[in-house]
Amino acid sequence: MNNEKNKILKERTIEKIIFIFSLFSIFSLFLIIMILFRESLPSIKEVGLIEMIKGREWYPTDLENPSFGFFPLIYSSIYITILSLIFSIPLGLSLAIYISEIASEKIKSILKIIVELISMIPSVVFGFVGVSILVPFIQKTFNLSTGYCVLTASIVLALMATPIIATLCEDSLRMVPLNLREASTALGANKYQTITKIILPAASSGLFTAIILGAGRIIGETMVVLMLSGGSAMIPESVFDPARPITSAIASEMGEAVKGSLHYSALFAMGMILFIISIAISIIAEFLSKRYSLKLGKGR
Amino acid sequence: MIKEKIFLFFIKSIVLIITIIIFGIFGYLFYNGIKVINLDFIFSMPRNFMREGGIFPALIGTFLLITLSITVSLPFGITTAVYLSEYKPKGFLSDIIKISIKTLSSVPSVVFGLFGYGIFVNAFGFGVSLISGALTLSILSLPIIISSTLEALGMVPQSYREASMALGATRWETIYKVIIPAASPSILTAIILSIARVAGETAPILFTACVFYQEKLPSSLFSPVMALPYHIYALISEGTDPQIHIPIAYGTSVVLLTLVIFLSLYAMIYREKRRKYDKIRY
């Protein structure tokens, strides 16, 4: 009887311990939000969040009249993200269509391994490849004063995002039920017609989700833009201008910002904005993918 | 039909071009990197402000960062997955845990770096050190470990749990003696994959753990370290002499890339085998 009681007690204790350990992820998220908020508070109080987002000048280290305008940085982030999406969507989508609809089983499994391997490659290696191959190439081809520009960063980011977008797109193409394909083929449609008229429209909102998630990855990517975008905190006027996206500004300035200064605090505020953008993107994607799976059922 | 032919040709050529670009790039990288790599490059200390000698401290630094961060995140990761999979798959609190994991996994790595800098380096006063970097990385790897462990636990068939319970085992005994052993190969794969991911992360350790040049190995948890990914970045951004530093960066990239690709390939091949085996067994 006593033994039985001990056993129950042991079970309960273990469950409690596991429960407490599993609260750790909530706790870390809470800590992240708290730290971002606490450290960015001085700059929000001093300058004002809206003022910072609207501000067009980023001269945080100016001794007499420092200004903390995030606009050029946010603009650069969005500009680079959109440009690299323009490159990576056709590539990723073609890769996904090939893997999901065209390739034989063997090629399919090899390609899937290659795609996953590429997505494991550290971003700093991509950045280095960009510096050593693409920067001189772009500079020569377009006859620029420097090869470090929006275009270079976007191309390398696109290369990095392609496997991610391809994997996500392939997942949503695979969700299209087999009977849609069969029905289309039975009606005499060829592969081209089946893919463009049946599969892509049916998978469209899934593909859209994939692209949004890809955008989330690109906007948060740090090393590639830090190494390739040139770093000037101006609003880039063309793809050949250097730029300084949010992530690059945080990474390059945090080391030199004096702890407790307004600059330090403003960088945390920027981190908070980036945090909010990424979460908003993932919520939108989640919402879309829920609707998508409702529309298509469980898939094949 | 001509349209179909053009379409298929278009798709195939894009796939071919991507493959050629990727292999071209990494062929070029390996071609340049292999030239500087020898035993001395891997196993000796840097000398004369990174002009001579090797990258041994960076290799050790990366190894220490990975080991420490996984040691911290593993117990939390596995227990969270066990809780969500075995104790309370549904419910208000479990939903909140799931949402936090999802949110954590969408946080950009540089924000983790900021967080680590704000809390471990400054608030806790650990300074730029091995422990600050490892703790930052451990929070970054937490969602990866949890979601892959959850997947591994989900693959264990329900009949195992029922059989164990029917034999009179308690819930914990079932988890400890039946479910974890059955899922452990998949959990191990997941851990290797997350190690491969953490090994290449640069932004989180940029201002929490790393220094460019160190002639000695880190002596304690509180000393700064060199790390492979940061080393590549630093050689380019702080290297004063491109003639000397760029070849070293090629060499370091090849070492890092080999490490990451070897780990992921091993885990992926093992995972595929395991999946086939599971399909037959269950």
Side-chain angles (χ1 to χ4, degrees):
Chain A
M1 198 59 210
N2 208 6
N3 198 9
E4 194 75 354
K5 243 184 189 169
N6 270 341
K7 219 174 175 182
I8 293 174
L9 192 71
K10 193 183 155 202
E11 278 294 307
R12 290 245 170 92
T13 325
I14 288 173
E15 189 176 340
K16 283 264 152 59
I17 293 171
I18 290 182
F19 171 67
I20 291 168
F21 266 60
S22 70
L23 293 179
F24 187 70
S25 49
I26 302 181
F27 177 65
S28 352
L29 184 63
F30 176 74
L31 266 183
I32 291 178
I33 295 171
M34 207 188 74
I35 288 285
L36 286 180
F37 188 71
R38 199 191 77 168
E39 302 287 328
S40 57
L41 205 58
S43 66
I44 292 175
K45 264 189 190 155
E46 183 84 24
V47 190
L49 196 58
I50 306 290
E51 289 303 308
M52 280 198 281
I53 294 175
K54 278 200 304 199
R56 280 168 176 265
E57 277 171 355
W58 175 252
Y59 297 117
T61 48
D62 194 315
L63 284 178
E64 281 160 18
N65 197 10
S67 57
F68 301 94
F70 293 168
F71 186 75
L73 313 172
I74 298 177
Y75 181 84
S76 305
S77 274
I78 294 172
Y79 192 8
I80 288 183
T81 305
I82 290 175
L83 195 61
S84 50
L85 276 180
I86 291 175
F87 294 129
S88 60
I89 290 170
L91 298 181
L93 193 57
S94 305
L95 206 54
I97 292 176
Y98 186 74
I99 292 176
S100 149
E101 309 296 326
I102 300 170
S104 64
E105 280 300 316
K106 197 162 186 194
I107 293 181
K108 195 174 178 170
S109 57
I110 295 173
L111 268 181
K112 275 186 133 176
I113 287 185
I114 293 179
V115 166
E116 195 175 348
L117 271 185
I118 299 171
S119 69
M120 294 298 288
I121 291 172
S123 54
V124 68
V125 174
F126 273 103
F128 176 58
V129 166
V131 169
S132 55
I133 302 176
L134 198 61
V135 167
F137 177 76
I138 294 271
Q139 185 181 0
K140 252 185 229 152
T141 322
F142 297 101
N143 207 3
L144 304 169
S145 57
T146 167
Y148 295 93
C149 62
V150 171
L151 182 66
T152 318
S154 307
I155 293 176
V156 176
L157 275 179
L159 208 57
M160 255 187 91
T162 300
I164 298 164
I165 292 184
T167 314
L168 294 167
C169 284
E170 200 243 317
D171 283 343
S172 56
L173 289 179
R174 218 179 22 191
M175 291 259 284
V176 176
L178 191 57
N179 55 23
L180 284 185
R181 286 162 229 254
E182 284 165 348
S184 161
T185 316
L187 286 171
N190 60 28
K191 219 159 207 174
Y192 165 71
Q193 289 164 329
T194 310
I195 292 172
T196 50
K197 301 243 164 75
I198 307 293
I199 297 174
L200 289 183
S204 60
S205 60
L207 298 176
F208 194 57
T209 314
I211 289 164
I212 289 181
L213 283 175
R217 281 294 185 79
I218 298 173
I219 211 166
E221 176 45 51
T222 312
M223 295 319 290
V224 169
V225 290
L226 179 61
M227 292 162 92
L228 294 173
S229 68
S232 133
M234 303 289 228
I235 296 174
E237 276 163 10
S238 79
V239 293
F240 300 119
D241 281 345
R244 175 173 288 210
I246 306 177
T247 48
S248 155
I250 296 174
S252 61
E253 292 170 27
M254 201 67 226
E256 62 208 44
V258 182
K259 191 194 145 200
S261 66
L262 261 184
H263 185 195
Y264 173 90
S265 170
L267 288 174
F268 271 91
M270 215 185 283
M272 197 162 72
I273 290 172
L274 186 63
F275 179 79
I276 293 168
I277 293 176
S278 333
I279 287 174
I281 287 176
S282 92
I283 290 173
I284 293 171
E286 177 86 344
F287 179 71
L288 281 175
S289 77
K290 274 221 174 95
R291 266 183 41 187
Y292 175 59
S293 49
L294 278 182
K295 195 174 118 197
L296 276 182
K298 279 262 172 187
R300 70 177 193 213
Chain B
M1 219 169 114
I2 191 99
K3 250 189 186 169
E4 183 180 24
K5 283 220 171 99
I6 293 172
F7 176 73
L8 291 183
F9 177 75
F10 178 74
I11 298 268
K12 279 180 189 164
S13 39
I14 283 191
V15 173
L16 198 67
I17 289 170
I18 299 175
T19 325
I20 289 172
I21 290 178
I22 291 291
F23 279 97
I25 287 174
F26 294 102
Y28 181 80
L29 205 61
F30 270 87
Y31 172 75
N32 280 295
I34 284 297
K35 283 192 253 179
V36 295
I37 293 181
N38 47 39
L39 280 180
D40 188 52
F41 181 73
I42 296 175
F43 292 111
S44 72
M45 295 290 168
R47 292 184 300 270
N48 192 6
F49 207 70
M50 212 52 240
R51 285 165 169 272
E52 293 163 51
I55 54 164
F56 189 59
L59 204 62
I60 292 296
T62 289
F63 175 76
L64 288 175
L65 281 170
I66 294 172
T67 322
L68 264 175
S69 66
I70 295 291
T71 319
V72 175
S73 61
L74 209 54
F76 290 108
I78 292 193
T79 44
T80 309
V82 165
Y83 183 76
L84 289 179
S85 154
E86 307 300 325
Y87 285 100
K88 285 240 165 60
K90 281 179 189 138
F92 179 65
L93 211 62
S94 302
D95 282 348
I96 294 189
I97 297 176
K98 281 179 197 157
I99 291 171
S100 340
I101 297 164
K102 195 131 212 169
T103 315
L104 277 180
S105 69
S106 67
V107 174
S109 57
V110 71
V111 174
F112 281 106
L114 264 185
F115 163 70
Y117 187 65
I119 188 163
F120 303 124
V121 177
N122 291 335
F124 289 179
F126 293 159
V128 174
S129 63
L130 177 56
I131 183 139
S132 302
L135 290 173
T136 311
L137 286 176
S138 72
I139 296 183
L140 176 130
S141 63
L142 193 64
I144 311 172
I145 291 182
I146 295 176
S147 50
S148 33
T149 311
L150 256 179
E151 198 185 318
L153 293 175
M155 280 190 348
V156 178
Q158 197 58 28
S159 57
Y160 277 38
R161 297 185 180 91
E162 285 157 5
S164 164
M165 296 281 204
L167 287 171
T170 62
R171 179 161 279 185
W172 171 243
E173 283 163 352
T174 307
I175 293 169
Y176 184 66
K177 297 215 171 111
V178 178
I179 298 173
I180 300 266
S184 62
S186 326
I187 297 180
L188 195 70
T189 329
I191 294 169
I192 295 174
L193 277 178
S194 56
I195 286 177
R197 169 115 332 136
V198 169
E201 283 291 351
T202 321
I205 54 175
L206 208 56
F207 25 76
T208 55
C210 282
V211 285
F212 173 40
Y213 181 67
Q214 223 177 13
E215 284 186 345
K216 285 174 290 182
L217 293 179
S219 53
S220 81
L221 283 177
F222 298 99
S223 48
V225 288
M226 285 171 74
L228 289 174
Y230 178 75
H231 200 58
I232 300 170
Y233 168 67
L235 279 167
I236 290 173
S237 63
E238 288 173 38
T240 41
D241 193 342
Q243 292 287 355
I244 294 166
H245 288 135
I246 295 290
I248 300 178
Y250 274 114
T252 316
S253 302
V254 169
V255 172
L256 178 63
L257 210 56
T258 313
L259 184 81
V260 169
I261 289 188
F262 178 76
L263 283 175
S264 354
L265 207 57
Y266 173 79
M268 279 153 58
I269 291 172
Y270 189 73
R271 186 185 62 196
E272 290 307 313
K273 274 192 186 153
R274 186 79 204 163
R275 271 185 191 156
K276 275 187 194 141
Y277 174 70
D278 281 349
K279 253 185 205 162
I280 299 165
R281 198 174 52 158
Y282 302 147

